[in-house]
Each structure stands twice: as C-alpha cells, then as structure tokens.
C-alpha cells in the first residue's frame, strides 16, 4: 500500500504528473532544503501548519529530526484555521499543573522569537476580575494554584485593578488576580518565526496540499496522500486543529474533539485610547462573572465571549479555504457573527467599561476552535496505527509546550512533563461516541469561566455506566458523583441516623462542604468498628493469559511476580526512566492466568503495545463487578456463606482464591485499601446483584452498611495509600513517592530497572501532613509554604475521621523531619500543618492481618 522513496538522492513526493493530473504544483516558497541539510532522522509528516504544527516542526528539527514535511491545505502564512483568528491570550494559571507548564514554556519560547523586529509575545500581564464574593474567593484559590505551580501572581484590590485598567468602573469591582508575566502571543507571527527556524534546519512547509488519505501497512502508517502527491512517512502527526476528526477518520482513528464557534468582536476607536502607539499596553482582562475577556488592538478593544449558547460545528462540513472565501467568509474558521447571541454580552461590556458606551462594534465573527469532553488536549501515538500521532485540541496558550512534549515523546520516548491528563487513551469507550463528544464538548465551552468545584460531576449524559448494584444503591439514597462515566456513590442517606452517635463534627467552610456530608464520617466509623460494603466495580480489571503471561508481566513491572497461583502482588508499571506509569495489583489465579487491577485505559494500552504473541490482554471490567467487604466484622460476615476457609491462617493477606458465597461464584482477594480486615469479592456482572443481596442479608445482624467513596478516601489517606494520577505520576520515581517497597532490584531485568540503579538521592518526597487545627480542611492542589516560601503542593487531602485531623499529602523537599511546621495556603489564608510519620493509622498492620 505504501509508496517507496527513491533509492538515491532526496526523498520527494509523487508529483501530479505521475497520477496524470494537470494541476500545477504550488511554488515551493517554504521548501528551503539544501544540500547542506540532508535528511536526518525518521521521515515525519505533520498535517497542519497552524501554531501547533509550526511549533512541532521547530521542536523536532531542534532535536535533530530534520526530515520533516508540514502539509497545509490553506495558504501560508495564514492558512485559515484557528491560529489565523486567535486573539492570543496566554494565561498560565490553571487547576491543571500540566497546562500551566505548557503555557509557561509557550511564554518562555515566544518571548525569544521575533519576525522583522516585531516580537512574538507582548508580556503585558493578565488581570482577572471579581464582581461577586464567590468570584473573589475563586481568585484567591487561583492565586493558590499559581503559588503551587511557581507562577507570579497576587490578588489585588479594586483600586489596583483600576490602576492597571483605567477604563474599568471601579465601583463594581471587588478585586482582581494580577499575573504580571502573562500576555499576548502573536500567533501567526510565532508560527512564521518557528517555520523559518525549522526550514533553516531542513524542514519543508507545503501549502495548498489537501490531505485525502493515510496509507498504512502492517499496522503502521506509511504515507500521507494529498491532492498533489503522496508523501512517504515513518511518523505522521495530526495537528489539524478542528479538522482533526476528519484526518482521524482517514487513518481509522477516533479523535474525540468537538469544534465550537466562539464570538469575538472589535470595537470602534475609543477616545480614551487615542494616540496609542503600541498594539497593547494593559493586561489582558478577564471578566469571568460574565464569560468575557478583553484585549487592546491599538485604540480599539477586542472582546471575546463564552456567554452565548454553544454553537457546535461539524468538522466534516467546514468549507475549504477557497470555498469559504467564495461564501464571503474571511477564512474557514471564521463564521458570521450572530448578533442575537452577542447583544447580552455587549450590555455587560458597557456595564464594566463605561467608555464602550461611546462606541459600537466595528467588526466581529464567530471563530471556530476545539473542545474535548474534558477540555484537555488529545496527545500521543495511536496503538492501532503505529507511527500515527495526535496533537489536537490545543489552544495557542499551550501550543509550544504541547509541541515540546510531543517532540520529546517522539524522539526520546517520553515527555519531560506528566501528560496523563492529555493522553489520547484516557477516554473510555462509552465516552467516545459522537453524541457524547458533542454534548460534553459543548458543556466544556459553557463552563470555560465557571467556578468549578474539584468534585463537581458532569450533569449529563447521566447515568451512563452503572454497576449491578445501582438499584440497591438508589434504594439506600446514594449520593452519586461521576468518574470515567461511572456513577459512584459518595455516601448513602440511609446512614444519616448514624451521624447522631458521632458527637459534634468540626464545622466546614462553604467550599469544602460542597459534595460532602457528615454521613461520610459515620460510614468511616462504621467501617472501623463493624463492617461495610464498598462498590469497587469502577476500578479497572484486566485479564492477562497465555504461556508467556508470567514472563511478560514480570518484565513489565517492578515487583516479583514469580509466586505460586493464589498470590497477589502490589507492583508498579514504570517507564524506561524509572517514572511511575501506574501502580497495579496483580493476582496470579492460575499458572498462565492473571487478573490485574489497573488505573486507566493507558495501562491497557501500554500492556497491549508490549504483549508478545503468546500473551493475551483484555479488559474485563464491564463484564465483572467487585464489592469490598471491609471492617473488623468482615470475616464474621463472609465465613458463614462459604465452605472455604477464610481464617487468617487459611486465607492470608495478599492472597486470592475461588469460592462460592451462597449461590455466587467469586474470586476473593484478601486486600484492603481502607486499613481494615476484609476482601475484594469479584464476580460476573450478571451475578452482581445476587452477590450484593447475599452479603447484605448475611450482614444485617452485624450492622453492615453500604459506604461510599468519601469515607473510602478518608480511610485510605489515614493508611497512606497512594492514588496514581493524583499523588504520583511518571514524573516521580518509586523512592520519591514512598512506594519503593514495590521494587525488587535483585530480580531479572524489568522496565526502568537500569534507570533506577543510577538515580541520585531524592530531593523531594511525597510527605504526609496533619493540619494542626481539628476544624481545618483543605482539598488538594494548594501550595505548601516552608519557612514562609512556597516549597511544594498538596496532592490528596481528606479529613481523617479516625485521627481527628485533616490529612494531606504533599510533594515537598526531602529531609523535612517529622514535627516540622509548615503552612498550607487555602483561599488566601495560611493553615498550619505538621509533617507526620506514616501510616497515621495502625502502623503495625494489626487490624488488617488478623
């Protein structure tokens, strides 16, 4: 299927003449390859010469891969995609540390670029406004993110906001968040600067080349077909922006991306800005209470609005560049302004900036750009078509940072920053339907500037995935939150009467009280004192079978798996640098059959990529279910239901066995992530409801309850159990994260072993903290101050109902001794905390091993 490059000389695409075409080739105005820049590295074809494609070509060629061809369907340097109309706002502060890192690198890089003496970045700063008390509190929280991620920023008074933006009506402003290092990217200019650098190293940029197909052979990409020839390739990167789903379909790859139109206008000249000599001198202004942002264009103001109804765009119906121009569209990504959507926002603009009452909107359009179901980019190489990469749903804000990460991924095998939030494998199959992507993408647009609680679930489509116990959970008054499409009970109203026996609980602030109930404390206590049932069905389960299964899993993971059937092992999935890709629980159920407790679709993807021919890996989550039976009375509940020996001697900790509980066949594993005696009980989905009812009926006389994730999280933090993706990622090594016990350096080679041998002594550690005030609570991602200076950030936090304090884990400098006092910045307040020993609860493990 693939075309073959010429055996001598420079690789060239097939020309139209070779296909009998008469259309002339585009002049090679951007193809500067010379004899001094012979191709080096694999053949890379990048689809799309917007800000992402140009940035990626620059990053790849800077790393020595200069056999790079960038194909663009429109004319350069403004091909008509989202980059061509982007307003260029670059704000770094985000709840996502990864996005903040991407934006930080984008600023750093663009500050160093210029074209014909014109800089590619104006560091005018950023200013976010609060006109309500709720927004002002949110700005304090955002200031916490900034401090946690190392970004300069401060919450300022209304008077200071007026100084920074004199056009403001100070009387309606309560305060603002000022970030002096943010600013405006000249997106087209930055694209041109990087295009020039990349072509200087040997890359070529060909405009007016419309991609019509992706060729493949043997599961690998081999070429990109255009209307002007075919380009052989070892790697193809789709950086096509909102056309990503179109390119993906050609490759047989699902791209979960929804383009939406977003309103942007420019006002007429303002008397207050007359005589402006610079394009912009004031901070970019965000008025999130009305979903608006503002930037200067000389003596005019540019205004963007997210306040209007979502306007989804079908990427397969977007006209090509020339057809768009024929329709009186400036470019394919620029639709006519819908005046009825704009009218309410214009009134809000004039309310905030009275000077606008003296002018009108001079021009405007609805610009198209990309959203995903969770608002994050889609990055990485597809497994189904090796060598085919996605760099999609990337805004100008994060463009250079994303390009650097993808270039590192391609050249070095991994990015230097954690990108699990952006990994293309992260969505479940149920989250990839066109209707889901459209609905969730539209909601992401509506929520761009909303104040979102870290536990806030999506509103629809729900319910999407439910466990076999869902009906019983509803009967018990479960309060459901959502994760990966699953309905997850966080507490049960049926347990409300248990709250009275707790005594007085510390009063919570309004923010930490959202999506929380004192019932969680009662459920945690019942787990510690009696027994509780936990729905663990959403936890991913993989089945690994075949003659080579043991050798494969032992090579892929860090702990010793060469144990007899019935053994369960906690182990780590590492990358080649020793970073933690995931943590797994591996149960050897037979000589060549294993059940693997995993975290995300990325774990399945990684195992499938490396599995030899004699090993089969499949996800069995949807066809199975799991109940955690935990508490000091757990044995008293399950033993009467089975003839198998569930005593400590007959069924040891971290062991598995098959058993019948009543009429239900189960795989029982003696594990506990709450620090109490108990088992995880697995069965097929069709028998799940019978299993629940069997356990419920047997536990009535023992005071059994159903307990939710809120209690679970509290209990697991008291035991110091880590949560991958929150407490640790591939940026961290096992010895930094406190899971070095899961590494057996003396076993035969495993992925990451050599890197671990050469690691220096850790300079940071995942550190347990106890808040000093019994009434204080933090939620995660807050900065931690040591000697008054930000030194790290909180990962997980929850009130420990057994220890009577809020427990927080944080990445902090190594060597802080137990008892060291620190402060956690929570909504602008400094909350005292103390470094603690771990585990905080039952350090001798007597409650689990009995």
């Amino acid at each position: 299927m693939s075309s073959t490059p010429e055996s001598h000389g420079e690789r060239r695409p097939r020309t139209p003449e070779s296909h009998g075409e008469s259309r002339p080739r585009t002049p090679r105005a951007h193809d500067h390859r010379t004899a001094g820049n012979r191709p080096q590295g694999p053949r890379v074809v990048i689809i799309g010469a917007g800000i992402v494609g140009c940035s990626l070509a620059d990053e790849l060629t800077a790393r020595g891969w200069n056999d790079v061809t960038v194909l663009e369907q429109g004319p350069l340097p403004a091909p008509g995609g989202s980059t061509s109309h982007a307003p260029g706002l670059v704000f770094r502060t985000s709840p996502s540390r990864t996005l903040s890192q991407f934006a930080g690198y984008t600023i750093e890089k663009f500050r160093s670029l210029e074209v014909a003496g014109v800089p590619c970045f104006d560091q005018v700063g950023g200013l976010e406004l609060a006109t309500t008390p709720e927004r002002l509190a949110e700005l304090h929280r955002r200031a916490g993110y900034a401090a946690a991620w190392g970004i300069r920023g401060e919450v300022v008074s209304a008077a200071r906001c007026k100084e920074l933006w004199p056009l403001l009506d100070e009387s309606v402003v309560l305060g603002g968040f000022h970030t002096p290092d943010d600013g405006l990217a000249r997106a087209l200019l930055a694209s041109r600067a990087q295009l020039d650098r990349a072509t200087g190293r040997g890359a070529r940029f060909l405009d007016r080349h419309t991609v019509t197909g992706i060729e493949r052979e043997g599961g690998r990409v081999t070429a990109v077909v255009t209307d002007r020839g075919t380009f052989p390739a070892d790697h193809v990167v789709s950086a096509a922006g909102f056309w990503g789903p179109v390119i993906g379909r050609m490759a047989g790859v699902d791209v979960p991306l929804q383009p939406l139109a977003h309103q942007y206008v420019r006002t007429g000249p303002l008397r207050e800005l007359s005589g402006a000599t610079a394009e912009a001198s004031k901070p970019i202004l965000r008025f999130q209470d009305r979903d608006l942002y503002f930037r200067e264009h000389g003596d005019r103001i540019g205004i963007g609005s997210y306040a209007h109804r979502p306007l989804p765009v079908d990427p397969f119906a977007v006209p090509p560049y020339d057809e768009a121009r024929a329709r009186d569209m400036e470019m394919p990504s620029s639709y006519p302004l819908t005046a009825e959507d704009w009218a309410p926002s214009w009134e809000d603009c004039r309310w905030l900036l009275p000077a606008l009452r003296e002018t009108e909107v001079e021009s405007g359009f609805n610009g198209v750009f990309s959203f995903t179901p969770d608002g994050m980019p889609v990055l990485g190489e597809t497994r189904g078509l090796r060598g085919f990469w996605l760099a999609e749903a990337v805004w100008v804000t994060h463009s250079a940072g994303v390009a650097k990460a993808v270039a590192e991924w391609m050249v070095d095998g991994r990015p230097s920053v954690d990108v699990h939030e952006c990994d293309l494998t992260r969505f479940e199959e149920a989250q990839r339907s066109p209707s889901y992507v459209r609905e969730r993408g539209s909601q992401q647009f509506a929520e761009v500037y909303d104040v979102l609680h870290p536990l806030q679930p999506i509103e629809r489509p729900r319910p999407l995935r439910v466990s076999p116990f869902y009906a019983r959970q509803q009967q018990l008054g479960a309060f459901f939150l959502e994760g990966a499409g699953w309905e997850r009970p966080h507490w049960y109203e049926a347990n409300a009467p248990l709250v009275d026996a707790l005594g007085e609980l510390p009063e919570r602030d309004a923010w930490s009280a959202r999506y929380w109930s004192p019932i969680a404390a009662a459920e945690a206590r019942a787990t510690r004192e009696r027994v509780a049932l936990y729905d663990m069905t959403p936890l991913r389960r993989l089945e690994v079978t075949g003659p080579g299964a043991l050798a494969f899993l032992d090579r892929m993971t860090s702990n010793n798996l060469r144990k007899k059937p019935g053994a369960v092992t906690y182990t780590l999935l590492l990358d080649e640098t020793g970073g933690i890709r995931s943590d797994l629980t591996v149960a050897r159920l037979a000589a060549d059959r294993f059940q693997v407790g995993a975290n995300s679709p990325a774990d399945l993807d990684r195992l499938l990529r490396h599995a030899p021919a004699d090993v089969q890996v499949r996800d069995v989550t949807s066809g199975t279910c799991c109940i955690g039976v935990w508490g000091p009375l757990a044995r008293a509940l399950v033993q009467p239901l089975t003839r198998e020996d569930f005593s400590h001697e007959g069924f040891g900790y971290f062991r598995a066995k098959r058993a019948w509980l009543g009429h239900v066949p189960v795989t029982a594993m003696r594990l506990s992530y709450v620090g109490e005696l108990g088992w995880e009980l697995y069965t097929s989905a069709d028998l799940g409801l019978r299993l629940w009812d069997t356990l419920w009926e047997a536990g009535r006389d023992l005071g059994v309850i159903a307990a939710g994730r809120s209690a679970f999280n509290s209990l697991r933090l008291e035991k110091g159990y880590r949560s991958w993706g929150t407490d640790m990622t591939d940026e961290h090594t096992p010895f930094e994260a406190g899971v070095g016990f899961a590494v057996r350096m003396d076993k035969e080679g495993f992925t990451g072993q050599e890197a671990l041998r050469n690691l220096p002594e850790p300079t940071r550690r995942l550190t347990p903290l106890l808040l000093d005030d019994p009434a204080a609570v933090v939620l995660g991602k807050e900065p931690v101050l040591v000697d008054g200076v930000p030194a790290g950030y909180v990962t997980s936090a929850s009130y420990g109902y057994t220890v009577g304090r809020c427990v927080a884990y944080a990445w902090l400098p190594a060597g802080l001794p137990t008892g060291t006092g620190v402060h956690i910045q929570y909504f602008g307040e400094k909350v005292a905390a103390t470094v603690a020993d771990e585990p905080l609860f039952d350090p001798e493990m007597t409650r689990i091993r009995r």
Side-chain angles (χ1 to χ4, degrees):
M1 293 178 63
S2 63
S3 56
T4 304
E6 298 177 16
S7 58
H8 301 285
E10 180 183 340
R11 300 184 181 98
R12 297 183 182 276
R14 293 201 293 255
T15 63
E17 288 73 20
S18 67
H19 293 282
E21 300 175 12
S22 60
R23 185 177 177 184
R25 286 196 66 190
T26 300
R28 293 161 63 95
H30 299 286
D31 188 355
H32 299 304
R33 188 169 301 182
T34 66
N37 278 315
R38 291 296 180 188
Q40 297 182 27
R43 298 166 298 178
V44 179
V45 175
I46 299 171
I47 301 172
I51 190 67
V52 178
C54 291
S55 296
L56 180 56
D58 183 47
E59 294 289 338
L60 286 172
T61 56
R63 288 166 173 78
W65 282 19
N66 69 358
D67 195 350
V68 175
T69 301
V70 184
L71 302 175
E72 174 53 58
Q73 65 178 342
L76 290 171
S82 299
T83 301
S84 301
H85 65 66
L89 282 66
V90 183
F91 278 91
R92 285 184 297 171
T93 304
S94 167
S96 167
R97 181 169 174 265
T98 298
L99 289 187
S100 292
Q101 289 174 304
F102 286 163
Y105 181 77
T106 299
I107 290 174
E108 175 188 342
K109 184 175 188 179
F110 288 3
R111 283 183 60 195
S112 69
L113 300 176
E114 63 177 41
V115 176
V118 180
C120 293
F121 189 79
D122 284 339
Q123 198 162 4
V124 294
L127 179 63
E128 303 177 42
L129 298 178
T131 58
T132 65
E134 294 77 14
R135 181 66 64 176
L136 185 59
E138 168 71 359
L139 295 187
H140 280 286
R141 188 165 71 109
R142 290 181 62 76
Y145 293 145
W149 313 147
I151 299 167
R152 284 205 305 157
E154 63 174 338
V155 176
V156 298
S157 66
R160 176 60 177 152
C161 292
K162 178 72 171 180
E163 291 176 11
L164 292 166
W165 252 86
L167 277 62
L168 286 173
D169 180 353
E170 181 184 354
S171 68
V172 303
V173 176
L174 301 181
F177 175 47
H178 181 221
T179 48
D181 299 324
D182 292 336
L184 294 165
R186 294 184 173 89
L188 284 177
L189 213 60
S191 298
R192 177 57 190 270
Q194 294 176 101
L195 180 155
D196 289 344
R197 296 206 314 187
T199 53
R201 302 186 190 110
R204 57 182 169 184
F205 289 72
L206 303 176
D207 61 4
R208 298 290 191 172
H209 281 62
T210 299
V211 175
T212 58
I214 306 293
E215 292 188 347
R216 49 201 134 158
E217 186 175 329
R220 285 203 63 89
V221 69
T222 58
V224 177
V225 183
T226 76
D227 59 347
R228 302 203 169 203
T230 298
F231 295 80
D234 302 302
H235 295 276
V236 173
V237 185
S238 177
F242 57 77
W243 282 289
V246 179
I247 301 300
R249 179 176 292 181
M250 295 178 194
V253 172
D254 190 23
V255 181
L257 178 161
Q258 176 61 56
L260 286 109
H262 161 64
Q263 295 197 310
Y264 191 79
V265 306
R266 292 194 191 197
T267 70
L270 295 177
R271 174 173 47 83
E272 291 81 357
L273 299 179
S274 62
T277 57
E279 181 182 354
S281 60
K282 300 174 184 61
I284 42 180
L285 184 69
R286 293 208 279 191
F287 180 25
Q288 289 119 312
D289 286 327
R290 294 292 188 275
D291 296 311
L292 293 164
Y293 63 83
F294 305 82
R295 57 152 295 177
E296 296 167 284
H297 291 282
D299 62 354
R300 292 163 169 79
I301 299 292
I303 308 168
S305 172
Y306 293 98
H308 56 86
R309 63 194 166 93
L311 300 167
V313 173
D314 181 357
F316 295 89
V318 175
Y321 188 91
D322 293 326
E323 185 180 328
R325 298 298 293 265
R327 296 186 193 178
D328 293 327
M329 297 167 60
E330 184 179 346
M331 61 187 77
S333 61
S334 177
Y335 284 71
L337 183 72
T338 47
E340 67 276 14
D341 292 309
W342 172 251
S345 290
W346 185 231
E347 293 306 311
D348 291 332
C349 294
R350 290 176 155 185
W351 177 72
L352 181 70
L353 304 175
L356 296 181
R357 299 167 191 167
E358 306 301 321
T359 189
E360 296 295 336
V361 170
E362 193 171 75
S363 62
F365 62 95
N366 288 352
V368 182
F369 65 137
S370 305
F371 285 81
T372 58
D374 61 2
M376 299 293 286
V378 180
L379 312 178
E381 182 191 26
T382 63
R383 187 184 74 256
L385 183 58
R386 300 292 181 90
F388 187 80
W389 296 75
L390 298 181
E392 297 291 7
V394 182
W395 295 3
V396 171
T397 305
H398 312 114
S399 55
V402 163
K404 176 175 180 283
V406 173
E408 291 171 335
W409 211 338
M410 296 175 71
V411 176
D412 304 326
R414 73 184 295 273
S416 58
V417 299
D418 165 43
V419 296
H420 82 273
E421 294 175 307
C422 312
D423 194 299
L424 59 85
T425 65
R426 69 188 183 272
F427 295 112
E428 304 287 342
E429 189 69 22
Q431 297 174 305
R432 305 185 76 96
S433 70
S435 58
Y436 185 93
V437 172
R438 179 185 174 97
E439 187 167 0
R440 291 305 309 148
S442 297
Q443 189 60 28
Q444 287 294 330
F445 177 93
E447 293 176 351
V448 162
Y449 284 163
D450 285 2
V451 177
L452 299 177
H453 193 278
L455 293 177
Q456 186 166 328
I458 66 171
E459 295 180 1
R460 58 183 190 276
R462 289 179 66 190
L464 184 62
R465 306 176 79 187
V466 298
S467 78
F469 328 126
Y470 184 63
R472 298 293 184 263
Q473 292 165 343
Q474 288 180 304
Q475 291 167 4
L476 293 170
F479 181 85
F480 293 99
L481 297 181
E482 183 270 353
W486 287 101
E487 294 296 316
R488 302 188 182 200
H490 272 242
W491 64 82
Y492 294 85
E493 289 297 327
N495 297 323
L498 302 178
V499 174
D500 294 338
L502 294 175
E504 188 172 347
L505 290 172
E507 186 175 346
R508 290 203 171 202
D509 66 277
W511 184 252
S512 66
R514 289 182 65 183
Y515 306 107
W516 173 84
S517 169
I519 295 172
E523 293 176 358
R525 181 172 177 178
T527 307
R528 291 278 188 240
E529 295 181 352
R530 299 193 303 278
V531 61
L533 306 184
Y534 287 83
D535 180 2
M536 306 304 289
T537 300
L539 299 185
R540 184 169 305 278
R541 291 171 292 287
L542 310 178
E543 182 181 77
V544 182
T545 58
L550 173 60
F552 167 62
L553 287 173
D554 203 48
R555 183 179 73 252
M556 291 294 294
T557 67
S558 63
N559 212 337
N560 176 30
L561 301 185
R562 296 184 178 277
K563 304 171 183 176
K564 294 179 180 179
V568 182
T569 306
Y570 177 79
T571 186
L572 305 173
L573 196 63
L574 305 178
D575 65 20
E576 289 71 16
T577 70
I580 305 171
R581 291 290 296 258
S582 188
D583 61 342
L584 309 175
T585 302
V586 180
R588 190 176 190 186
L589 302 180
D592 59 357
R593 184 164 67 90
F594 295 81
Q595 180 172 309
V596 178
N599 286 297
S600 74
D603 298 341
L604 173 64
D605 182 81
R606 185 164 179 82
L607 292 177
L608 285 172
R609 285 176 185 269
H610 292 86
D614 63 347
V615 174
Q616 296 77 47
V617 182
R618 67 188 188 103
D619 191 328
V620 298
T621 308
S622 297
T624 57
C625 59
C626 177
I627 299 175
V629 182
W630 291 314
L633 301 182
R635 183 175 289 115
L637 193 160
V638 298
Q639 184 62 83
L641 296 173
T642 181
R643 294 181 179 181
E644 296 292 331
D645 184 0
F646 271 59
S647 69
H648 181 61
E649 295 73 22
F651 197 157
Y653 190 51
F654 266 81
R655 299 291 299 173
K657 68 168 63 176
R658 294 282 293 171
W660 293 89
L661 294 185
H663 300 288
V664 181
V666 301
T667 298
M669 298 186 196
R670 192 170 166 196
L671 308 175
S672 174
Y673 288 93
V674 299
E676 296 293 338
L677 171 69
W679 289 265
E680 292 179 357
L681 304 174
Y682 298 90
T683 193
S684 56
D686 60 320
L687 291 169
L689 189 59
R690 184 61 179 260
L691 176 61
W692 179 281
D693 289 345
T694 298
L695 294 168
W696 189 260
E697 187 61 33
R700 283 184 181 276
D701 292 341
L702 302 173
V704 70
I705 67 161
R709 298 289 296 182
S710 186
F712 176 89
N713 200 45
S714 170
L715 297 169
R716 71 102 180 163
L717 280 173
E718 290 182 329
K719 282 298 293 181
Y721 294 143
R722 276 58 167 155
S723 173
W724 188 86
T726 302
D727 297 316
M728 57 190 186
T729 69
D730 62 4
E731 286 190 350
H732 308 113
T733 70
F735 310 116
E736 294 173 325
V739 289
F741 63 87
V743 177
R744 291 292 179 265
M745 292 299 293
D746 57 350
K747 81 168 188 174
E748 193 172 344
F750 60 88
T751 302
Q753 186 177 42
E754 286 307 309
L756 294 183
R757 293 190 198 280
N758 300 312
L759 287 176
E761 191 68 22
T763 59
R764 61 181 178 179
R765 292 192 186 276
L766 188 61
T767 305
L769 303 174
L770 274 177
L771 274 61
D772 294 354
D773 183 352
V777 174
V778 297
L779 299 180
K781 299 188 177 182
E782 296 90 356
V784 181
L785 284 60
V786 178
D787 296 328
V789 178
Y793 58 93
V794 174
T795 57
S796 295
S798 180
Y799 200 86
Y801 302 109
T802 313
V803 299
R805 294 283 193 282
C806 182
V807 181
Y809 272 77
W811 281 103
L812 290 172
L816 293 178
T818 300
T820 300
V822 300
H823 287 90
I824 301 173
Q825 185 175 312
Y826 181 71
F827 285 96
E829 301 293 327
K830 292 181 180 179
V831 180
T834 302
V835 174
D837 280 328
E838 63 174 341
L840 298 166
F841 176 77
D842 189 26
E844 303 300 322
M845 301 285 284
T846 57
R847 297 177 70 90
I848 291 178
R849 293 189 170 113
R850 60 180 176 181

